Amino acid sequence: MRENFDIHEFNITIIGLGLLGGSYAKSLKKLNPKNIWAVDIDEKALKDGEELGVIDRGYTNPKEPLLNSDLVIICLYPNLVYKFIDENKEYFKPHTIITDSTGIKNGLVDEINRILPDNVDFVFGHPMAGREKKGLEYSSAEVFEGANYILTPNSRNKETSLLIVELIARGMGFRSVVRVNPQKHDEIISFTSQLPHAIAVALINSDNLNVNTGKFIGDSYKELTRIANINGELWSELFLGNKDNLVSKIEGFEEKLEIIKQAIINGDEETLIGEFRESSRRRTQL
Amino acid sequence: MRENFDIHEFNITIIGLGLLGGSYAKSLKKLNPKNIWAVDIDEKALKDGEELGVIDRGYTNPKEPLLNSDLVIICLYPNLVYKFIDENKEYFKPHTIITDSTGIKNGLVDEINRILPDNVDFVFGHPMAGREKKGLEYSSAEVFEGANYILTPNSRNKETSLLIVELIARGMGFRSVVRVNPQKHDEIISFTSQLPHAIAVALINSDNLNVNTGKFIGDSYKELTRIANINGELWSELFLGNKDNLVSKIEGFEEKLEIIKQAIINGDEETLIGEFRESSRRRTQL
């Protein structure tokens, strides 16, 4: 039972010290917790993290830090989260709060709740922030500033745990923390995150101009393709793990693009202007 | 015949003092030409321009400034450019250079060359810069800093005129000035500019989540939809004036998106990772 939450008394362990884990460490540092530890199989990342003062200590074996951690933040690829919990479930300190940063939730929540010890609380979370680069060297506290954070509570969660994760997220600089169930989360994210990545990849891969395209672009093309520089292993996991939602959102997008295409073919200015007016209204209200 | 080009001796008239015309005026100011005049039907814009010191003088009737201008920069909607030249062709000073900022060139170049007096030179140009807002109040010299400028020369152009327009563009802060024929320009622009706008509009208009979407987005969705806030009158002209190219580029994009969609449906990780690798390579090289 947690009362009188004080982050200065918290030992925090980050599992996976890559771009996201490193950004967590740097951002949490500002909140001055008792200790920030990290677990990774990459000894160089741990050593760099220690030398840069990003973490207090790094471990390749999770046992020791887990036994003493009040908060565990999992920053692993989606397919590794279950495996990590399964292999280490006996080491969690009683009343530990676990949270994650996995981009898809449905399925995972049930799978993990099935094996999770009763005396720990897993608050599933999704910081809506990332970068196209990989690795600790590209991590920064700034990626979270002003960003959105999503919690996907389930019936097992204690309200105090949810509030503590929210408080820490706000302390790290997230502007908004919202709660939504895991199913809805995955539908939303297929639209707001995965679909844009699919579009950016398809756009740049459809370039058949045979010119030095970079000399003929404005801000729009630059912005629409930034995320086409993509971590393929991570994003293919995210796409395939959220198949039905993503296919449905791609098809919804295709239908709207088809309306525009047909209006162009038919010289139908009225439909075009109608679509533009609607998109302007939506973007202004976003 | 122009020799010893010196911009400090140039009278420059901008036709249309909106977002783009105002940005030209502010940017050209740094080069200290003899005079910057503007023509507009909107007397308030002219008065504001004068009071802000953006222009030296504004005119609703183009005759007087045109009779004394060495450079005329047309910042009108595409459909108004021909009409403006036709109605004012007798007023251009001999050896005047005219340039424009129209986003589509094919057709326009031939139409205008058919009515243009022999003793003036129209250098068609396309500054790859803009903003989603309209009007002088949103204009700024910064929109051109580091941007791309495209010239679409035709057989009527003198090399000196092309070089003068390029020099002025570089002086205004454009990083790159390239030349391409009007047909190729329109093909390129349908891909690098019009297709991204069609995609952004279709993306935001396909939002059927029924949530406060803004709480669930990261940078990617923000960037992919910025241009969905769009000047509908201008962009429907641009889309419909470049119909064949744009439809072809939309279809090329749809084919690539279909490859991704099928790979998701089939659980085909190899194809996904292949597409991601190719898009990352292209984006890095852009």
Side-chain angles (χ1 to χ4, degrees):
Chain A
M1 204 65 58
R2 304 203 162 275
E3 280 172 23
N4 304 319
F5 164 66
D6 179 359
I7 195 162
H8 306 110
E9 298 300 316
F10 259 45
N11 291 321
I12 301 177
T13 295
I14 294 164
I15 313 299
L17 195 61
L19 174 95
L20 198 61
S23 299
Y24 263 101
K26 290 176 179 175
S27 186
L28 286 166
K29 202 84 188 170
K30 298 182 296 183
L31 303 180
N32 205 19
K34 194 165 168 189
N35 282 293
I36 300 176
W37 298 317
V39 174
D40 207 300
I41 51 171
D42 178 355
E43 292 185 41
K44 184 175 178 309
L46 297 174
K47 193 159 156 286
D48 289 349
E50 286 175 0
E51 283 174 3
L52 293 165
V54 171
I55 56 172
D56 295 298
R57 187 158 169 199
Y59 299 84
T60 51
N61 183 339
K63 185 177 171 183
E64 188 183 331
L66 290 187
L67 286 170
N68 297 289
S69 285
D70 305 284
L71 175 67
V72 177
I73 301 172
I74 302 180
C75 299
L76 297 173
Y77 279 28
N79 293 351
L80 296 175
V81 179
Y82 177 86
K83 187 164 173 277
F84 177 83
I85 297 290
D86 195 37
E87 287 177 359
N88 296 285
K89 53 182 185 283
E90 64 193 292
Y91 304 131
F92 293 114
K93 180 177 158 182
H95 310 302
T96 289
I97 298 171
I98 309 171
T99 190
D100 71 331
S101 55
T102 321
I104 41 179
K105 298 300 185 193
N106 204 15
L108 184 70
V109 175
D110 287 341
E111 277 175 29
I112 284 182
N113 278 344
R114 237 172 273 135
I115 58 167
L116 203 65
D118 281 340
N119 62 354
V120 302
D121 201 4
F122 198 131
V123 173
F124 290 86
H126 182 189
M128 294 290 293
R131 287 294 178 267
E132 61 273 27
K133 302 290 178 66
K134 284 199 277 193
L136 177 64
E137 61 193 298
Y138 296 105
S139 65
S140 89
E142 284 74 43
V143 305
F144 301 138
E145 287 292 339
N148 287 323
Y149 200 98
I150 310 172
L151 295 178
T152 61
N154 66 82
S155 56
R156 237 183 138 281
N157 290 138
K158 295 189 185 67
E159 181 63 21
T160 47
S161 309
L162 291 161
L163 291 173
I164 286 171
V165 173
E166 172 163 353
L167 263 173
I168 292 174
R170 292 194 183 273
M172 289 168 66
F174 285 92
R175 182 190 325 227
S176 160
V177 182
V178 289
R179 299 183 187 189
V180 71
N181 72 51
Q183 291 74 16
K184 188 69 183 175
H185 169 273
D186 286 6
E187 187 209 336
I188 293 172
I189 245 52
S190 71
F191 177 72
T192 60
S193 174
Q194 293 165 0
L195 176 58
H197 282 79
I199 288 171
V201 169
L203 173 57
I204 203 164
N205 283 353
S206 75
D207 179 350
N208 63 357
L209 295 173
N210 246 326
V211 297
N212 183 351
T213 304
K215 299 283 185 193
F216 296 91
I217 63 178
D219 290 336
S220 57
Y221 190 82
K222 261 182 254 172
E223 287 180 326
L224 264 83
T225 58
R226 180 184 62 85
I227 55 174
N229 187 2
I230 188 170
N231 176 339
E233 286 69 29
L234 173 62
W235 283 90
S236 63
E237 272 191 33
L238 292 169
F239 277 24
L240 296 177
N242 202 11
K243 187 183 284 202
D244 294 345
N245 282 317
L246 180 51
V247 168
S248 157
K249 295 306 176 190
I250 291 177
E251 288 175 349
F253 165 75
E254 286 174 335
E255 284 165 25
K256 283 292 176 187
L257 189 58
E258 191 62 25
I259 290 171
I260 294 173
K261 192 175 92 181
Q262 290 304 325
I264 298 166
I265 291 171
N266 299 325
D268 178 357
E269 190 183 6
E270 193 183 327
T271 297
L272 281 182
I273 289 183
E275 292 295 314
F276 294 158
R277 190 170 298 135
E278 176 63 12
S279 67
S280 298
R281 187 187 67 76
R282 289 176 175 226
R283 187 55 173 80
T284 308
Q285 288 182 353
L286 193 65
Chain B
M1 204 64 58
R2 302 201 163 276
E3 281 174 23
N4 304 319
F5 164 67
D6 180 0
I7 196 163
H8 306 109
E9 298 300 316
F10 260 45
N11 292 320
I12 301 177
T13 295
I14 293 164
I15 313 299
L17 195 63
L19 174 95
L20 197 61
S23 299
Y24 263 101
K26 289 176 180 175
S27 186
L28 285 166
K29 201 84 187 171
K30 300 181 296 184
L31 303 180
N32 205 20
K34 195 164 166 191
N35 282 292
I36 300 177
W37 298 318
V39 174
D40 207 300
I41 52 170
D42 177 356
E43 291 185 41
K44 184 176 178 307
L46 297 174
K47 193 159 154 287
D48 289 348
E50 285 174 1
E51 282 174 4
L52 293 165
V54 171
I55 56 170
D56 294 297
R57 187 157 168 198
Y59 299 84
T60 50
N61 183 339
K63 184 177 172 184
E64 188 185 331
L66 289 187
L67 286 170
N68 296 291
S69 285
D70 305 284
L71 175 67
V72 177
I73 302 171
I74 301 179
C75 298
L76 297 174
Y77 280 29
N79 293 351
L80 296 176
V81 179
Y82 177 86
K83 186 163 173 278
F84 177 83
I85 296 290
D86 195 37
E87 289 177 358
N88 296 285
K89 54 181 184 282
E90 63 193 293
Y91 305 131
F92 293 113
K93 180 177 158 183
H95 310 302
T96 290
I97 298 171
I98 308 170
T99 190
D100 72 330
S101 55
T102 322
I104 40 178
K105 298 302 185 190
N106 205 14
L108 185 69
V109 174
D110 287 341
E111 277 174 29
I112 284 183
N113 279 343
R114 237 174 272 134
I115 58 166
L116 203 65
D118 282 341
N119 62 354
V120 302
D121 201 6
F122 197 132
V123 173
F124 290 86
H126 183 190
M128 294 290 293
R131 287 293 178 267
E132 62 273 28
K133 303 289 178 67
K134 284 199 276 194
L136 176 65
E137 62 193 298
Y138 295 107
S139 65
S140 87
E142 284 73 45
V143 304
F144 301 138
E145 287 292 339
N148 288 322
Y149 201 97
I150 311 173
L151 295 178
T152 60
N154 66 80
S155 56
R156 237 182 136 281
N157 290 137
K158 293 190 185 68
E159 181 63 22
T160 47
S161 308
L162 291 160
L163 291 173
I164 286 171
V165 173
E166 172 163 355
L167 263 173
I168 292 173
R170 291 195 183 273
M172 289 167 67
F174 285 93
R175 183 189 324 226
S176 159
V177 182
V178 289
R179 300 183 186 187
V180 71
N181 70 54
Q183 292 74 17
K184 188 69 182 175
H185 169 273
D186 285 8
E187 187 210 335
I188 293 172
I189 245 53
S190 71
F191 177 73
T192 60
S193 174
Q194 294 167 356
L195 176 57
H197 282 77
I199 287 172
V201 169
L203 174 57
I204 204 163
N205 282 354
S206 75
D207 179 351
N208 62 357
L209 295 173
N210 247 328
V211 297
N212 183 352
T213 304
K215 299 281 186 196
F216 297 92
I217 62 177
D219 290 338
S220 57
Y221 190 82
K222 262 182 251 169
E223 287 181 325
L224 264 83
T225 58
R226 181 184 61 85
I227 54 173
N229 187 0
I230 188 170
N231 176 339
E233 287 69 28
L234 173 62
W235 284 90
S236 63
E237 271 191 33
L238 292 169
F239 277 26
L240 296 177
N242 202 11
K243 186 185 285 202
D244 294 345
N245 281 317
L246 180 51
V247 169
S248 156
K249 296 304 175 190
I250 291 176
E251 288 175 348
F253 165 76
E254 286 173 336
E255 284 165 26
K256 284 291 175 188
L257 188 59
E258 191 62 26
I259 290 172
I260 294 172
K261 192 175 90 181
Q262 290 304 326
I264 298 166
I265 291 171
N266 299 326
D268 178 357
E269 191 183 8
E270 194 183 327
T271 296
L272 280 183
I273 289 184
E275 292 295 314
F276 294 158
R277 192 169 299 137
E278 175 64 11
S279 68
S280 298
R281 188 187 66 76
R282 288 176 177 225
R283 188 55 172 78
T284 309
Q285 289 182 353
L286 193 65

